[in-house]
């Protein structure tokens, strides 16, 4: 039995480097995709949070970090400030489209708006995850080692199921005041052929009314000569409320009562699989298979059940709970969209200490015209806001990678305010400051402070932890045991990519 101080769960990984080029899932370059990769046998949510904040991303149990200064389509980690998010006109249009479909039952004509919300494209990963692990025998031996490692006590209570991802607002819906209709009277229309009613003021555009009110305010400020205590003897008519409607208000309006359809959103834990996940597995897989064949043009034999499990169901993340965390806990989940009792879309999510991370979205091709990719992103932002009320630190929504060189993937920048991760300092920079650089060059350092560096830069590779012969030890001790070992360059590269903090917590498997 391996003896270690304290009860602790450990992340265990195997590192594979990243010198070879692979097929790019975005531009289809056969050898243009370069990424560092490692297979994660198990991983804590805090370690994964720190890794994605250094540009890593998971596909199943395979965790990879694109080499942005070398790969053909640089992929920059993007996050949205969920608490500050306000839906744009296009987002509101999508919510109205959903509302019209649910209330009247008619699918809109045409196809999706080109926002698939595929945060991780399997073809874009550097290698087939099943090939990353060299043998089933080795996987089994590492699982045996995991059983010997002392783990944090797990909470065994039944997983709670979230019936709806978006919170139900207890506040009354904010109504826009001073709209165009408010400016018009509701008097009987003039008789046909009589023209406009001379007794009524002419109809005016809301834009002109807003401009007039703005000019009135400017004039009042000028007349007061900067003295705030002076009040105009004839106060202007009340201006419209500047308080914008919340995202939750728009979502709730898109789900009217007494409708032709019923839409329900359920959250089910995928790892370890909850009873609800197991019961709906086949129905969910069938939707995925149809999606891959229709949207990604996969042949019928490619989206197999084993591939589905490996790609979207298997996860290295351990289920964790904490007193100050969300009620559903941390880890990997599927957020299922049920329409009239059947699954029509599934969002694959990771709930981490400071964010909800979008992994993938697939939907039934029959509903492609509903823009379910964009709709699910809005629901996931609302879900993040709901979780933040339970866990104050959890306030960001990660959309995966932003790829400016691929026009179809630029839509992620529309969920604002958002930041991109600087590939050199790992500082978050507002996307508005990043875009001018990406217009000039595919690879860019976003942090413009020349003196800024990586706060978690590797300082001592000897303190990196390794797992060797069922024992955990610093790399310095391992090197002394393995005199003449030739893996120092590889371990040095791995540790510099994960950073000093993670290198001292994560166990790097050594054969």
């Amino acid at each position: 039995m391996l003896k270690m101080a304290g009860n602790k769960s450990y992340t265990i990984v195997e590192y594979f480097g990243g010198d070879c080029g692979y097929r790019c899932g975005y531009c289809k370059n056969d050898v243009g995709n370069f990424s560092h990769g490692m297979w994660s046998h198990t991983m804590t949510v805090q370690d994964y949070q720190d890794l994605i904040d250094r540009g890593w991303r998971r596909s199943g149990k395979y965790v990879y970090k694109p080499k942005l200064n070398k790969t053909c389509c640089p992929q920059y980690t993007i996050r949205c400030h969920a608490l500050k998010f306000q839906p744009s006109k296009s987002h509101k249009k999508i919510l109205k489209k959903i509302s019209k479909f649910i209330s009247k039952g008619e699918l809109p004509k045409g196809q999706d708006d080109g926002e698939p919300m595929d945060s991780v494209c399997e073809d874009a990963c550097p290698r087939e995850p099943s090939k990353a692990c060299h043998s089933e025998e080795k996987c089994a031996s590492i699982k045996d080692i995991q059983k010997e490692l002392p783990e944090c006590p797990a909470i065994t209570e039944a997983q709670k199921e979230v019936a709806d991802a978006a919170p139900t607002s207890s506040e009354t819906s904010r109504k826009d005041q001073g709209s165009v209709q408010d400016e018009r009277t509701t008097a009987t229309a003039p008789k046909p052929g009589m023209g406009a009613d001379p007794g009524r003021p002419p109809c005016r555009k809301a834009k002109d009314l807003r401009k007039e009110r703005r000019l009135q305010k400017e004039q009042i400020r000028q007349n007061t000569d900067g003295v705030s205590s002076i009040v105009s003897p004839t106060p202007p008519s009340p201006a419209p409320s500047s308080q914008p409607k919340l995202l939750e208000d728009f979502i709730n309006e898109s789900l009217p009562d007494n409708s032709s359809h019923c839409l329900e959103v359920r959250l089910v834990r995928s790892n370890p699989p909850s009873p609800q996940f197991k019961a709906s597995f086949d129905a969910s897989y069938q939707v995925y298979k149809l999606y891959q064949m229709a949207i990604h043009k996969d042949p019928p034999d490619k989206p197999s059940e084993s591939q589905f499990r490996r790609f979207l169901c298997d996860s290295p993340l351990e289920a964790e709970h904490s007193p100050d965390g969300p009620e559903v806990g941390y880890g990997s989940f599927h957020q299922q969209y049920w329409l009239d009792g059947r699954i029509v879309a599934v969002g694959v999510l990771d709930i981490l200490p400071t964010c909800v991370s979008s992994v993938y979205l697939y939907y039934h091709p029959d509903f492609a015209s509903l823009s379910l990719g964009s709709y699910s992103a809005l629901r996931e932002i609302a879900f993040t806001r709901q979780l933040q009320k339970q866990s104050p630190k959890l306030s960001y929504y990660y959309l995966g990678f932003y790829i400016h060189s691929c026009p179809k993937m630029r839509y992620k920048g529309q969920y604002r305010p958002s930041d991109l991760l600087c590939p050199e300092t790992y500082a978050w920079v507002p996307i508005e400051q990043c875009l001018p650089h990406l217009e000039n060059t595919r690879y860019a350092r976003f942090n413009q402070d020349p003196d800024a560096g990586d706060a978690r830069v590797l300082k001592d590779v000897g303190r990196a932890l390794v797992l060797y012969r069922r024992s955990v030890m610093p790399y310095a001790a391992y090197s002394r045991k393995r005199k003449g070992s030739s893996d120092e360059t590889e371990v040095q590269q791995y540790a510099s990519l994960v950073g000093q903090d993670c290198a001292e917590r994560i166990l790097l498997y050594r054969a």
Side-chain angles (χ1 to χ4, degrees), residues 181 184-189 200:
Q181 292 184 352
R184 301 173 182 171
T185 68
T186 57
T188 305
R200 296 171 56 186

Side-chain angles (χ1 to χ4, degrees), residues 23-90:
R23 183 177 185 272
C24 176
Y26 303 106
C27 70
K28 311 306 179 184
N29 186 322
D30 287 337
V31 292
N33 184 4
F34 290 85
S35 295
H36 302 281
M38 53 190 183
W39 183 264
S40 179
H41 296 272
T42 182
M43 183 172 287
T44 67
V45 291
Q46 185 59 59
D47 285 341
Y48 186 51
Q49 178 73 69
D50 290 345
L51 286 176
I52 64 173
D53 286 339
R54 293 183 67 83
W56 292 84
R57 200 79 185 157
R58 80 171 183 89
S59 173
K61 290 189 174 184
Y62 189 79
V63 187
Y64 64 102
K65 175 180 168 62
K67 301 175 74 170
L68 300 187
N69 59 353
K70 188 175 182 180
T71 194
C72 52
C73 296
Q75 305 162 52
Y76 299 93
T77 303
I78 182 172
R79 72 177 186 183
C80 170
H81 295 253
L83 302 185
K84 300 178 182 178
F85 173 80
Q86 281 295 328
S88 65
K89 288 184 179 179
S90 63

Side-chain angles (χ1 to χ4, degrees), residues 284 287 334-337 343-348 360-363 380:
S284 182
V287 174
H334 281 197
Q335 196 168 57
Q336 302 171 339
Y337 294 76
I343 296 177
V344 296
V346 178
V348 183
Y360 201 72
L361 184 281
Y362 57 95
Y363 53 80
E380 288 166 9

Side-chain angles (χ1 to χ4, degrees), residues 261-453:
H261 294 295
C262 176
L263 179 64
E264 181 185 3
V265 181
R266 304 176 188 174
L267 186 78
V268 297
R269 183 180 286 277
S270 56
N271 186 56
S274 67
Q276 297 87 354
F277 178 83
K278 292 179 180 178
S280 59
F281 175 84
D282 187 63
S284 182
Y285 163 60
Q286 294 302 327
V287 174
Y288 168 77
K289 186 173 183 178
L290 291 172
Y291 173 83
Q292 292 295 115
M293 291 190 296
I295 307 300
H296 292 296
K297 311 304 178 186
D298 283 358
D301 59 332
K302 183 177 180 181
S304 64
E305 182 177 315
S306 61
Q307 187 251 14
F308 172 64
R309 287 184 183 273
R310 186 174 62 248
F311 179 35
L312 296 177
C313 302
D314 291 348
S315 170
L317 299 182
E318 299 292 322
E320 297 182 26
H321 291 77
S322 67
D324 58 346
E327 293 179 3
V328 296
Y330 301 109
S332 298
F333 298 82
H334 281 197
Q335 196 168 57
Q336 302 171 339
Y337 294 76
W338 290 75
L339 181 70
D340 302 332
R342 67 165 177 153
I343 296 177
V344 296
V346 178
V348 183
L349 304 174
D350 291 330
I351 300 179
L352 304 175
T354 64
C355 76
V356 169
S357 175
S358 174
V359 179
Y360 201 72
L361 184 281
Y362 57 95
Y363 53 80
H364 197 293
D366 288 352
F367 301 94
S369 61
L370 288 177
S371 304
L372 292 175
S374 301
Y375 179 69
S376 67
L378 297 172
R379 294 295 297 247
E380 288 166 9
I381 292 173
F383 180 49
T384 304
R385 291 151 69 120
Q386 177 187 353
L387 295 181
Q388 194 275 337
K389 295 177 181 178
Q390 305 167 9
S391 181
K393 294 190 300 181
L394 205 163
S395 59
Y396 295 102
Y397 174 60
Y398 284 48
L399 296 94
F401 288 130
Y402 174 81
I403 308 170
H404 193 77
S405 57
C406 181
K408 288 185 178 180
M409 300 302 291
R410 293 184 184 181
Y411 65 87
K412 294 182 182 181
Q414 298 172 7
Y415 297 86
R416 299 191 183 185
S418 58
D419 306 317
L420 296 185
L421 187 68
C422 177
E424 297 180 11
T425 66
Y426 302 110
W428 293 101
V429 180
I431 192 170
E432 294 85 355
Q433 300 178 23
C434 304
L435 294 182
H437 300 291
L438 294 178
E439 287 291 336
N440 296 326
T441 177
R442 291 190 174 190
Y443 173 79
R445 171 190 167 115
F446 301 137
N447 191 331
Q448 295 305 296
D449 181 359
D451 298 325

Side-chain angles (χ1 to χ4, degrees), residues 66-284:
K67 301 175 74 170
L68 300 187
N69 59 353
K70 188 175 182 180
T71 194
C72 52
C73 296
Q75 305 162 52
Y76 299 93
T77 303
I78 182 172
R79 72 177 186 183
C80 170
H81 295 253
L83 302 185
K84 300 178 182 178
F85 173 80
Q86 281 295 328
S88 65
K89 288 184 179 179
S90 63
H91 295 148
K92 295 174 187 177
K93 184 178 179 181
I94 290 168
L95 292 170
K96 288 180 181 178
K97 185 198 302 185
I98 295 289
S99 177
K100 185 176 180 181
F101 167 70
I102 292 175
S103 60
K104 297 183 179 180
E106 297 179 4
L107 277 171
K109 297 180 180 180
Q111 293 299 311
D112 191 8
D113 56 4
E115 298 188 9
M117 282 309 298
D118 291 350
S119 295
V120 174
C121 175
E122 189 190 24
D123 289 338
C125 296
R127 69 176 77 206
E128 180 68 25
S130 63
K131 298 176 183 176
C133 189
H134 300 306
S135 69
E136 295 295 331
E137 183 179 348
K138 181 166 66 174
C139 281
S141 66
I142 290 181
K143 287 180 181 178
D144 291 338
I145 295 173
Q146 289 174 225
K147 295 176 183 178
E148 298 181 9
L149 293 174
E151 297 184 355
C152 296
I155 295 178
T156 58
E157 65 181 31
Q159 299 298 332
K160 298 182 180 180
E161 183 176 334
V162 177
D164 196 318
T168 302
S169 176
S170 59
E171 303 175 353
T172 57
S173 297
R174 295 174 172 82
K175 302 296 182 182
D176 291 334
Q177 300 176 5
S179 64
V180 178
Q181 292 184 352
D182 294 334
E183 300 295 335
R184 301 173 182 171
T185 68
T186 57
T188 305
K191 296 179 180 180
M194 295 292 292
D197 188 348
R200 296 171 56 186
C203 295
R204 304 171 62 190
K205 293 183 177 180
K207 180 179 179 182
D208 295 334
L209 291 169
R210 290 195 298 269
K211 184 176 181 181
E212 182 178 314
R213 285 193 290 268
R214 189 166 61 250
L215 292 174
Q216 288 177 351
K217 290 181 181 179
E218 289 291 335
Q219 187 175 3
I220 291 170
R221 280 199 291 269
Q222 293 174 3
N223 292 338
T224 58
D225 195 26
V227 181
S228 59
S229 60
I230 297 178
V231 180
S232 172
T234 55
S237 57
S241 172
S242 59
Q243 187 80 29
K245 289 173 66 174
L246 298 176
L247 169 63
E248 291 80 0
D249 296 331
F250 289 108
I251 290 177
N252 291 335
E253 288 177 3
S254 72
L255 303 172
D257 297 328
N258 302 321
S259 301
S260 299
H261 294 295
C262 176
L263 179 64
E264 181 185 3
V265 181
R266 304 176 188 174
L267 186 78
V268 297
R269 183 180 286 277
S270 56
N271 186 56
S274 67
Q276 297 87 354
F277 178 83
K278 292 179 180 178
S280 59
F281 175 84
D282 187 63
S284 182

